[in-house]
Amino acid sequence: MPRRLLTISAFVCLIGAIVFLAPKSSQVALPPLSPTRSSEPSSPSAFYALVPFSASWTSWWHPSRRSSSLSGTIQKGWNLLYHLGGNGPWIEKADDVVPGGVGPPDGCRVEQVHMMSRHAERYPTISAGGRMLRLLRRIKDSDIKLKGDLAFVNDWDYFTEEPEKHLEQLTTTGPYAGTLEAFTTGVKLRTRYEHLLAQSSGTKTTYWASECRRVIQTARYFGLGFFGLDSDGTASSLKVIPETDDLGADTLTPGDTCLKYRDDLKQGHDLGAAMLAKFRATYLGGISERLARDNPEMVFDDGEIYSMQEMCGFETIVTGASPWCAVFTHADWENFEYARDVIHFYRAGPGNRYGPTMGWLWLNGTTNLLAAGPRAGPLFFSFVHDGDIVPMIAALDLFPSPNGNMLPVTHVDRDRAWRTSQVTPMGGRVIFERLSCGHSSPSSSSSSRDDAQRDSSSSSSTSNEVFVRINVNDGIVALPTCNSGPGRSCPLERFVKMVRSRGDDLDKFKPLCGLSPEAPD
């Protein structure tokens, strides 16, 4: 893997183009800050006052984009980006978040941070992209002129002319470019945690990425935003962890080392796809029948309809919008969102016997560092895949099903807590903050650079209470069984006991995964 992603000149060009993710104009309904928000800024100027450095929709012109607006994607009370099930750009968590924003509660300051992040926005995988291209080839080879909602396909081109080059890789164009999102996240977190960066001055901060090109590139672009041009030099060092099956109890990508999870075709990794197929059959046939009314000579099967829905999200990521989005109704998208919830729930989440055990490895290691406090270091960043984040969330039991029920595959469970669109979108991240609370005034909060310059070995936590707070995509989420602290955080001592107890209840990793006792820890 090349260790240098961009030249200085290229980086300067990137900086010149940096804007925060907001493709809007006066001709387009401005996106709500949540999927159900009913009031919106009254004008573009009012919106820009709320969201600095936003770009107008027209400034994000893309030569391949067919849609001239976000029509059908963002409407009053509806935001499609919240229904793409992880196949869309990064979004803030809006449902079931603690009021008050991401700033530390009054009298508290952040003294240690742990982040597990999915790679930033990417093109489809080779398997998903291959299905899309086969569908488009079948349409073209049929010589049938499509009508109705699919009429645009007659002269529509796939969103990359070089799929062999782009599939699986970060996107580099449009307002939702993966390179831009990763860099912006680095700047955003530097703004939030600069005092911890200053505290680590003089020591090299190590951050981690699994050995996949898009994950490594995400980490490097993030590093440029957070650490600056010396993101892999004297200030920090990126450590790449191989995605191989010989690392034993690897905390970063346990799905690669848990051999039985891979080989168990009924209860392992493949369970997610099997349950997805069952749910897809409940709604995709109806869409196929609807499209066939205008196109009786071209009948699409479930897999092809599903690929059309996937193309909406991926083309939006590449160009900023997609005509595929308007083919489907709101109900279709709510079904698609649920389908994505189902596959993750059963592939590596609470519905999979291996998921929580795999996720407990990283959670346990992080808990040990939280208990050790700032002496262990202030900053810990890990970059992985969504399939690595889901097990950790399952181990934490952050979004338990009501009454412990499994997600049904015969209908949509509208009361579910498990909603992956807001947890593992492209660039999705979960942050654990160690809070030291009991300070006399907000002036001693995490924004104080004077506090940051103090010797980290004499942490204020020796005379103040310590808590753990969970941040999911810039929404503070309360642990269901431990939220008595400031801002509904969890007392550290109780958090540690909770994680230890969870580990006692789960199957042990090595026996469950078919590893020998001598396998690496």
Side-chain angles (χ1 to χ4, degrees):
M1 299 289 179
R3 295 187 65 83
R4 186 174 180 84
L5 282 180
L6 6 128
T7 63
I8 297 300
S9 60
F11 179 72
V12 171
C13 291
L14 175 64
I15 293 297
I18 288 296
V19 295
F20 286 89
L21 306 179
K24 300 106 186 165
S25 75
S26 58
Q27 285 76 41
V28 180
L30 297 173
L33 298 182
S34 76
T36 57
R37 180 177 172 180
S38 59
S39 61
E40 299 169 356
S42 58
S43 67
S45 60
F47 176 81
Y48 298 141
L50 294 173
V51 184
F53 307 113
S54 295
S56 69
W57 175 247
T58 53
S59 74
W60 281 113
W61 176 85
H62 190 287
S64 298
R65 189 173 68 220
R66 289 288 308 278
S67 297
S68 59
S69 73
L70 295 177
S71 176
T73 302
I74 298 173
Q75 303 164 358
K76 190 170 185 178
W78 170 262
N79 189 334
L80 177 59
L81 302 186
Y82 280 79
H83 302 279
L84 293 176
N87 284 350
W90 183 86
I91 52 174
E92 292 184 19
K93 188 168 184 359
D95 292 337
D96 301 318
V97 298
V98 177
V102 298
D106 287 348
C108 299
R109 64 165 171 252
V110 178
E111 59 180 16
Q112 192 183 65
V113 168
H114 301 262
M115 180 181 74
M116 177 178 269
S117 174
R118 186 187 183 189
H119 56 72
E121 288 79 351
R122 60 161 171 80
Y123 286 89
T125 60
I126 290 174
S127 59
R131 291 191 295 269
M132 296 172 189
L133 291 169
R134 286 192 294 274
L135 166 62
L136 297 173
R137 173 59 62 183
R138 185 168 85 86
I139 293 173
K140 183 176 181 180
D141 290 347
S142 72
D143 288 330
I144 296 173
K145 187 172 183 179
L146 297 178
K147 301 174 184 177
D149 290 339
L150 295 179
F152 74 91
V153 181
N154 296 318
D155 57 354
W156 179 84
D157 294 318
Y158 194 58
F159 40 86
T160 171
E161 295 179 352
E162 300 179 280
E164 68 284 349
K165 174 182 177 182
H166 288 145
L167 291 182
E168 308 244 358
Q169 307 310 321
L170 292 188
T171 56
T172 59
T173 60
Y176 305 118
T179 51
L180 175 60
E181 168 59 28
F183 178 85
T184 302
T185 298
V187 175
K188 184 187 296 185
L189 295 197
R190 182 182 180 119
T191 303
R192 194 177 302 168
Y193 303 124
E194 190 172 19
H195 67 292
L196 297 180
L197 184 61
Q199 182 175 301
S200 62
S201 178
T203 61
K204 181 176 288 191
T205 298
T206 299
Y207 59 121
W208 294 268
S210 63
E211 193 175 24
C212 174
R213 184 181 176 190
R214 62 181 178 269
V215 177
I216 295 170
Q217 287 188 339
T218 297
R220 292 199 184 284
Y221 277 104
F222 170 88
L224 286 172
F226 190 86
F227 297 106
L229 288 175
D230 191 28
S231 60
D232 199 11
T234 58
S236 63
S237 175
L238 177 62
K239 185 174 182 179
V240 176
I241 306 300
E243 294 183 350
T244 56
D245 61 7
D246 58 352
L247 298 183
D250 168 33
T251 63
L252 208 59
T253 56
D256 294 312
T257 61
C258 185
L259 304 183
K260 283 189 177 179
Y261 171 68
R262 180 191 64 194
D263 298 336
D264 185 346
L265 301 183
K266 291 186 177 181
Q267 299 299 320
H269 176 275
D270 292 353
L271 176 62
M275 300 300 276
L276 169 66
K278 291 181 179 180
F279 175 72
R280 288 195 329 186
T282 68
Y283 83 95
L284 292 175
I287 299 175
S288 180
E289 292 175 3
R290 185 177 76 227
L291 297 177
R293 294 185 195 123
D294 290 322
N295 305 280
E297 297 176 304
M298 177 66 70
V299 178
F300 301 102
D301 63 29
D302 285 2
E304 291 173 327
I305 299 293
Y306 192 74
S307 286
M308 293 178 189
Q309 291 192 291
E310 288 183 310
M311 281 193 281
C312 160
F314 284 109
E315 186 179 19
T316 297
I317 286 174
V318 176
T319 71
S322 173
W324 289 103
C325 302
V327 171
F328 304 97
T329 67
H330 289 186
D332 295 337
W333 285 118
E334 289 172 351
N335 280 317
F336 179 80
E337 175 191 8
Y338 188 73
R340 299 294 302 169
D341 292 343
V342 165
I343 190 172
H344 283 294
F345 186 88
Y346 288 104
R347 185 166 66 185
N352 188 291
R353 64 171 300 201
Y354 299 93
T357 294
M358 295 190 301
W360 188 80
L361 299 179
W362 188 91
L363 179 61
N364 180 55
T366 295
T367 299
N368 291 337
L369 293 168
L370 286 165
R375 290 181 179 84
L379 298 166
F380 299 87
F381 303 127
S382 300
F383 295 87
V384 290
H385 303 271
D386 55 351
D388 303 308
I389 298 175
V390 166
M392 185 274 291
I393 292 173
L396 186 60
D397 202 20
L398 187 59
F399 304 111
S401 297
N403 302 317
N405 296 331
M406 296 289 101
L407 287 187
V409 293
T410 56
H411 62 279
V412 174
D413 180 359
R414 301 195 180 279
D415 296 326
R416 69 194 184 279
W418 186 267
R419 295 178 181 269
T420 54
S421 291
Q422 297 187 38
V423 178
T424 54
M426 301 291 181
R429 55 187 177 267
V430 180
I431 296 175
F432 293 71
E433 296 175 329
R434 176 179 159 126
L435 299 175
S436 173
C437 301
H439 304 280
S440 58
S441 70
S443 64
S444 62
S445 70
S446 61
S447 61
S448 172
R449 289 188 61 87
D450 291 338
D451 286 339
Q453 302 300 333
R454 294 176 183 169
D455 183 0
S456 62
S457 63
S458 57
S459 169
S460 60
S461 62
T462 57
S463 57
N464 294 284
E465 293 185 275
V466 182
F467 303 86
V468 176
R469 189 172 71 154
I470 312 297
N471 179 325
V472 179
N473 295 322
D474 291 352
I476 302 302
V477 177
L479 283 164
T481 60
C482 183
N483 52 61
S484 61
R488 298 193 66 187
S489 58
C490 177
L492 175 63
E493 183 176 354
R494 186 175 171 189
F495 180 83
V496 171
K497 290 180 179 179
M498 181 185 70
V499 173
R500 298 285 185 269
S501 176
R502 179 69 164 152
D504 292 338
D505 293 338
L506 294 171
D507 292 321
K508 303 308 177 187
F509 184 82
K510 289 182 182 180
L512 177 67
C513 295
L515 304 182
S516 69
E518 293 75 30
D521 290 323

